[in-house]
Structure formats: C-alpha cells, structure tokens
Amino acid sequence: MNRKALASVLLLCIALASVVVGVVYFIRRDRAALVDQFASDRQGQVEAAAREVADALDDAADDLRFAGELLSRPGSVTEHRRELLALLEVVGQYKALVVIDREAAQRFSIMDRRAGPAVTRGAVGTILMESAREALARPPGDILSSPPVAAIPGGWFRVFATSYAPSEDGPGGAVAVLVDTEPFFAPLKLIATGPEARLLLLGARGVPTPLSDATLVDWHKRLEAEAGSVPAFASLVQRMREGQRGTVRLSEGEAALLGLGAADAIAAYMPIRMRGGAHWSVATLATTQELRAHERGVILRVALGAFLVTFFLSVFGAYVVIASRRAVALQESRRHADRLAHLHEKTQKILDNIPSGVLALSSAGRITAVNQALRERLPPTAVGAQLPEAFPHAPTAVVDRLTSLVEGACSAERVLSLHGEPLALFGEEGQYRIHAVPLERHDPEVRVLLVVEDLSNVHALESQLVRAEKLATVGMLAAGIAHEIGTPLGVVRGRAEYVLGKLGAQHPQGAGVQVIIEQIDRVSRTIRQLLDFSRVQPPTAVRGVALGPLLRGVQELLHGEAERRKVRVDVDVPEPMPALSADPDQLQQVVLNLTLNACDACEPGGTVRIAAHVEAPGEPGAWSGVRVTVRDDGCGIPPESLNRVFDPFFTTKKRGQGTGLGLTVVAQLVRNHGGRIELDSKPGQGTCVTLWWPATASAPGEERHAV
C-alpha cells in the first residue's frame, strides 16, 4: 500500500512539472505577440499626442493666414496695426510681428509689451524681416517655418511667415510672426514621463528640439561617426526626417547604449504636419523591461505553486503511510483534533478582526454566529433569530433579496453575490457587496456564510476623486478655450470699435454697436473666470445689487432667443426687495445660465418663470436672505442623473449642444458668494432650481446693472 501511495504522489508531481513546462513554453511563445501589442499601444499614444500638436500648429497657421486676409482688405496702416495688435495681445504665444509689402519694404512691426529684452533686441527684427522676404517667394497661404531663433535662449522660438495675395484695394505682401512653440508641444511631455520611455522630437529642419531626451540628442550628434553602433536608431532618425510613420525594434545592446536599460526597446514614430508648411517628427523609445519582468514573475509564481503543491502532496503521501499503521492511529487522531481546535480559534479571531461583516446561517435559516464587525450593527438578539429579525430596519424587499440569495446559493452549491448595490440594511441606504457562501452539508449549524462588505466610504471616495479629476481638467481646457475664443473675440471687438468710430456716438446704430462691445467684454471676463475655475476664490466686486432690474435685464436679453424657441419667460419680483450681496456680473451669469437651461428643456409653447421671495429666519440658525427660483415645464431630468448635473462636463443635451460646464460654473459662483443651490426635477413635469442668496444690510439705492 505504501508503494502505491508513493507512486501516486510521484505521478502527480510529474504531471504538475509537465504543466509548468508547458505554461513556460506558451508564455515565451506569446512574448512576441505581447511585444507587438506593446508597440501598437505606444504607436497609439504617439498618434494621439501628435494629433493635438498638429491641431495647435494648424491653429497658428490659420491665425497667420487670417492676418494676411486682414492685410489684403482696404484700410490704413494704423487700422491694420491695431487689428494685428489685438491678435498679438490675445494669443500669448505670439511675441512679435512684421509686415512687408511686395517690394520687401517694411510696412510696420509690432512687439509684445510683455516680451522680455531677448525678444525686443535688434537680431529678432532682422530674422523676422528675412523670413518675411523669404515667404514672398512662396505661394500665398504657404507657411514658412524658420530654424530656432538663436538670439532667444531655450530654442523654442521660431518665425512663421506667409505671403498674402494683392486685392483690388490693396497691394500684396508678407507677414511674419515670432512664435513661442513650447506650449504647442506640451502634449508630447505626457507620453514620456516615466523612466522607461525617452522622447525624440525633430524640428522642421531635422534638428532635435529642447524637448528631446539629452542622451538621444547626444547620439543624434554622433550618428555620422558612430552610426554602426546604433543601426536601428540611425534608421529611425532617417525615417523621421523623411516624414514616415511606424515602429522600430531596438536590440537589448542598442537600447542599453541609448540609456533604456538591459532589454529590447520599441520606438514609435510619426510626423507632425502643418497645413501648408513644413513638418516636425516625434518618436518615443520605450523599453520592454516591464514585459520581461512580468514574464519572469509569472514563471516564478508557477514554479513556486508547483513546489508548494509538490510539498503538500509529499506531506499527504507521508500521512497516508503513517495512517496505514494501526499502532499510531489514535495518536494521529488526537494530533489532528488539536490542530482543528487551534485552527477554529484562529479562524474565529480572524473573522472577528476583519472589516467585513460575516454571519453564519444554519440549514433552518437561523443565525448561529456573527463576527465582531457585524455584531455591533445588529440587535443583541440576532444570534438564534431569522434574517428578518436580525435586520429590523431594512425594508421587506431588501430582506427578501437576502433570503433569496442564501437559498439560491444553497441550491446551486456555489457562491452568489450582490455587487455594490444600494441597500438600506441598517436604516440608511448604503453601498454593499454581499456574498452567500454555501458550506458542506455535514454541519447543519453552519450551512451558509453571509459576507457583508460596506462600500459606502469607498464609493464616496471614488466619487470625490472623479470630481477632483474633472475639476483638474478644467484648467487644461481653459487655455484651449481662451485661444479658440479669444482670437475671434478680439477681432470682432476691433471691428466693432472701428464701426463705432466711423458712425459716431450720435448715430442711431451707435448704441447697438456699443452693446456689442460691452457683451464682448463680458465674454472676455467669463473666459478669465474660467481660467481661475479650479481655484476657489471669493468674488472681488461684491456690492448691493438690485434684483428686480437685473432679472428684467436678463428677460430683455433673452427676449430674441425666447421668441426664436417660442418659449415665454416671465419674471415675478415683489417690491420692495432687499439688495443681494453679489458681484453683478457673476449674479447675472448665474441667472442667465439657469434661464437658458430652462429654455433648452422646454418645448415650443413652454413657459419659464423666474421668481424671488424674501426668506426670514423662522428659528435661530435658520437661513435668511433671498430665494430665487427658476422653474420650467420642460422634459425634466431622470432620477439617475440628478446627482451628476453639477459635475463638470456632464450634460443631458445632445452632442454639440452643451459643454457640461454651465451648472458647474453656476454652483461654483453660488458657493463663492456664501449661498446654496437646490434642484428638484421629475421627468415630464419640469425642473425647479432654487438659489438661496444672502442679502445686504443696506438698500441698493438707484444702482442698476447694465445688461
């Protein structure tokens, strides 16, 4: 009998060793597929970052062509200079500008007042003139990019130039702009932040930019003399100069020379093209050392598991041999009994000290044991009771679900779970993960274990982290918005001032043009506020604001929009009404955003009602101030979306009709003023937004807020 047991153990060990060898073989065979997938992922990252950079360069090229279009239109040098000065002040990356005519003579030049002395030196003006003259030889709209301006430290400043065709009212010429290109290439920094990746960025003339890794730049300089030492890297540089895209695999030795560690490396590269201009080329070199370490870890874990299983099988074989001896049967039984008692005590201590709640149920459905984590939340009479008696504060439907879960696990003989569902187990609703674990049928006192994990705190932390990440992205988005909106706003404002100057203040249309300029200024202030959105700052221009004129001003401002949508906007403000303590522009922005959202939710023929009421404190510590409500009879908000409407970038509107920032900005402004905002909505019955706003101690006098 002993020989049979030993033979069985030996055969099991041989089978296990065969499995381990097979697993190692398949891991190594699939390593090439993992490397290919790794290369594909790196290529995708490079393409996404390069696409953002290309969009930024195309925006700069479009600005340059737009400047050429402005110069082609009729107008004096002073007018053209003022229009281009607005462009230079709005776009922070533009530092200087030169315009020449078709005879290569300078018409005028502009320098950014915020630029340092390195930009205003004479050498920069010479480079601008040379680039503008060189652009005259190219077709209109074709963008010329100069090498990095050596006179300015850092290596990021380049000159973009283009020619513009003559028109019937003006001669042609060329315009050149000194551009700080470092912000354009900022997305590339995100794909090479770790120590396992390196970045190589070749400029429009094939020379590495300051964003490139220092080791790669050094090898780039040594390629002509030592190309044989790094053939794959030399091939990569050649392909980048030719504007190709793809991936290159570098051997372990070549990767070590390039500072990527002792493992193969993958280089993903692609060009960054500017419409109508030259191209840059970017590449990331990433080591596969992590893949190799993962492979070794898997092999080590498999080998360790095989060793442990072999060890336990050997112990089992020895136990079989010993158990076959009748003389020591009683001693072995007593030893195992002591071992079981020790394990039972250890198990009880472990159960009492784990954070998850565990209770044991008998075959009859009675609770036979409860660990410490759950004992504190159940009634003292829980042990020996049924599930409904153990959870007296839980709704009947919740208890029925627990009972069904336990019965299903016992009948199916497998673990059944409820994953992260909102349940009111202890009176208040929370997030719980519940597992029903069936045990052997031999012990009717412990037939099934019910494990209760409270995920409420984890869920709350996850929600806070998601909101924090969304708020962090607002700062990044604000720079793009300022660039995209600021440039056309500056041009529109310049043209409006020009028209107002031509018409004169007494002209019948002069007041309308002045309103356009004021609204452009307000939008500009909104852009600046968006840039500061991620920092909680108190309002800077708080004073007493008369609510009635402000609400009627919003009604007048939205009159045309309401008529277009066939929606009626009513305002109900009783008199007298105390003044609100607010920044007038921010208060107007809050009411305007809420009213526009209400109009969007209404069908033709709907009504939006804006009302205000004075709230006097009914008891000590209660709220006192003004309550403003914006109510509509539109489509309403689904219940599952109510707790997300104030999150950044969340919107229930169709794609392209909303950014998801309106209510987020409203909530931020209300909190900054010491107020609060509440929302009540039912699908099909409309939505009501309530603002609780503090009032000032004194009357507002005759102050009126301009709309």
Side-chain angles (χ1 to χ4, degrees):
M1 181 177 180
N2 295 340
R3 292 181 178 179
K4 291 182 178 180
L6 291 175
S8 300
V9 173
L10 182 60
L11 289 175
L12 287 174
C13 291
I14 294 174
L16 184 60
S18 301
V19 172
V20 172
V21 172
V23 169
V24 173
Y25 168 76
F26 285 115
I27 289 176
R28 291 183 175 179
R29 189 190 67 175
D30 293 340
R31 187 172 187 274
L34 291 175
V35 172
D36 292 341
Q37 181 63 37
F38 179 76
S40 177
D41 293 342
R42 299 301 299 185
Q43 181 70 19
Q45 294 178 0
V46 173
E47 288 181 357
R51 193 178 303 115
E52 294 185 33
V53 176
D55 292 342
L57 292 173
D58 288 341
D59 291 341
D62 292 340
D63 290 342
L64 200 57
R65 296 188 186 96
F66 178 71
E69 294 178 3
L70 289 177
L71 294 169
S72 299
R73 298 173 184 173
S76 65
V77 172
T78 302
E79 294 172 347
H80 288 164
R81 181 185 179 89
R82 184 173 62 248
E83 293 169 346
L84 294 183
L85 179 60
L87 174 64
L88 205 65
E89 291 180 347
V90 169
V91 183
Q93 289 83 9
Y94 302 160
K95 303 300 181 183
L97 181 145
V98 167
V99 178
I100 64 174
D101 56 21
R102 297 300 297 178
E103 304 301 328
Q106 177 177 326
R107 293 184 61 195
F108 61 87
S109 64
I110 304 173
M111 289 289 178
D112 188 355
R113 294 171 297 179
R114 298 165 293 182
V119 175
T120 57
R121 285 199 293 261
V124 174
T126 303
I127 296 173
L128 286 169
M129 286 295 297
E130 292 176 354
S131 300
R133 292 187 180 111
E134 187 176 349
L136 285 176
R138 297 195 175 195
D142 193 5
I143 305 300
L144 169 69
S145 175
S146 74
V149 179
I152 303 177
W156 285 109
F157 284 84
R158 295 174 181 266
V159 175
F160 291 168
T162 185
S163 62
Y164 56 90
S167 63
E168 296 180 358
D169 300 310
V175 57
V177 179
L178 179 64
V179 183
D180 181 6
T181 60
E182 183 176 5
F184 297 162
F185 295 93
L188 299 180
K189 298 179 182 178
L190 302 178
I191 62 176
T193 55
E196 72 281 355
R198 300 288 188 272
L199 181 70
L200 178 62
L201 176 63
L202 299 184
R205 306 298 176 104
V207 178
T209 67
L211 196 61
S212 303
D213 180 72
T215 304
L216 298 182
V217 172
D218 180 62
W219 274 103
H220 183 275
K221 297 177 181 178
R222 297 158 52 186
L223 276 181
E224 294 185 3
E226 303 181 34
S229 301
V230 285
F233 181 71
S235 175
L236 169 67
V237 172
Q238 181 62 29
R239 296 181 186 182
M240 292 175 65
R241 289 174 177 172
E242 294 174 356
Q244 300 182 21
R245 59 182 294 176
T247 58
V248 173
R249 184 170 180 176
L250 291 81
S251 64
E252 180 176 338
E254 187 170 346
L257 290 176
L258 295 175
L260 294 171
D264 294 347
I266 298 297
Y269 59 94
M270 73 171 300
I272 303 175
R273 303 186 183 278
M274 175 191 292
R275 289 197 304 269
H279 76 274
W280 284 255
S281 188
V282 62
T284 59
L285 289 78
T287 179
T288 60
Q289 194 167 5
E290 185 177 353
L291 294 178
R292 180 174 294 183
H294 176 71
E295 176 186 357
R296 292 174 180 171
V298 172
I299 296 175
L300 181 61
R301 287 192 293 271
V302 171
L304 181 60
F307 172 76
L308 292 176
V309 172
T310 304
F311 173 75
F312 285 117
L313 288 175
S314 301
V315 173
F316 173 74
Y319 168 74
V320 171
V321 173
I322 296 174
S324 64
R325 302 177 182 180
R326 298 174 60 89
V328 294
L330 181 59
Q331 182 180 358
E332 288 296 320
S333 298
R334 291 183 59 186
R335 187 174 65 86
H336 281 288
D338 294 338
R339 179 67 174 170
L340 287 175
H342 175 69
L343 290 176
H344 175 74
E345 182 182 1
K346 183 187 294 185
T347 302
Q348 187 64 38
K349 290 181 179 179
I350 293 174
L351 288 176
D352 282 340
N353 289 278
I354 62 175
S356 299
V358 181
L359 59 84
L361 296 172
S362 65
S363 300
R366 291 183 300 103
I367 299 175
T368 58
V370 180
N371 75 330
Q372 184 66 28
L374 199 57
R375 191 180 302 120
E376 298 175 353
R377 308 183 71 175
L378 295 181
T381 59
V383 177
Q386 301 286 335
L387 278 179
E389 301 172 8
F391 297 95
H393 302 292
T396 305
V398 174
V399 177
D400 292 342
R401 291 194 65 184
L402 295 181
T403 305
S404 301
L405 185 70
V406 171
E407 294 174 353
C410 293
S411 59
E413 291 296 333
R414 62 186 181 88
V415 178
L416 298 181
S417 304
L418 299 177
H419 295 286
E421 296 194 13
L423 301 173
L425 287 179
F426 306 102
E428 297 181 356
E429 186 173 287
Q431 294 285 336
Y432 298 94
R433 182 186 292 122
I434 302 177
H435 310 279
V437 184
L439 303 179
E440 296 293 336
R441 297 178 180 271
H442 305 301
D443 187 3
E445 288 297 313
V446 186
R447 179 65 183 91
V448 62
L449 295 179
L450 195 64
V451 182
V452 180
E453 298 181 51
D454 192 347
L455 304 178
S456 301
N457 293 335
V458 176
H459 183 73
L461 288 176
E462 290 177 351
S463 301
Q464 293 176 8
L465 287 175
V466 170
R467 177 172 178 83
E469 291 176 356
K470 289 181 179 180
L471 291 175
T473 58
V474 173
M476 299 175 61
L477 180 64
I481 293 178
H483 174 71
E484 297 294 336
I485 298 180
T487 299
L489 278 180
V491 175
V492 172
R493 193 185 190 284
R495 300 306 297 177
E497 287 184 341
Y498 174 77
V499 172
L500 182 62
K502 291 294 186 179
L503 295 177
Q506 304 302 323
H507 194 275
Q509 300 299 328
V513 177
Q514 183 63 37
V515 170
I516 293 175
I517 295 175
E518 292 174 356
Q519 291 303 311
I520 290 175
D521 291 340
R522 192 179 67 82
V523 173
S524 299
R525 291 194 298 271
T526 302
I527 293 177
R528 290 195 299 271
Q529 293 168 2
L530 184 59
L531 288 172
D532 294 333
F533 178 75
S534 59
R535 300 190 299 269
V536 180
Q537 297 179 348
T540 58
V542 176
R543 57 180 182 269
V545 179
L547 183 60
L550 185 140
L551 294 183
R552 285 187 287 272
V554 170
Q555 181 186 28
E556 179 183 353
L557 184 63
L558 295 178
H559 178 71
E561 185 70 16
E563 285 189 348
R564 183 180 67 82
R565 304 187 185 193
K566 299 181 179 179
V567 175
R568 190 179 67 190
V569 179
D570 295 336
V571 175
D572 182 11
V573 181
E575 295 294 345
M577 176 66 66
L580 271 63
S581 176
D583 183 315
D585 288 340
Q586 294 186 3
L587 178 58
Q588 183 192 36
Q589 182 181 358
V590 168
V591 178
L592 189 63
N593 281 352
L594 294 178
T595 308
L596 281 175
N597 282 351
C599 292
D600 289 340
C602 292
E603 298 291 335
T607 302
V608 177
R609 180 179 176 85
I610 309 174
H613 304 277
V614 179
E615 292 292 327
E619 56 185 20
W623 172 269
S624 63
V626 176
R627 175 166 55 93
V628 182
T629 59
V630 180
R631 186 185 303 272
D632 65 74
D633 55 3
C635 58
I637 302 174
E640 62 272 13
S641 300
L642 277 176
N643 62 340
R644 301 178 58 196
V645 294
F646 294 109
D647 290 347
F649 309 110
F650 175 80
T651 178
T652 58
K653 300 178 183 179
K654 297 180 180 179
R655 179 182 292 273
Q657 296 183 2
T659 63
L661 280 174
L663 288 179
T664 306
V665 173
V666 167
Q668 186 83 338
L669 295 178
V670 173
R671 284 195 299 268
N672 288 349
H673 283 82
R676 72 176 190 263
I677 183 170
E678 297 177 357
L679 187 143
D680 182 22
S681 180
K682 294 182 180 179
Q685 300 183 19
T687 302
C688 178
V689 181
T690 303
L691 297 177
W692 303 83
W693 205 283
T696 59
S698 58
E702 296 300 324
E703 177 183 352
R704 294 295 184 266
H705 178 61
V707 178

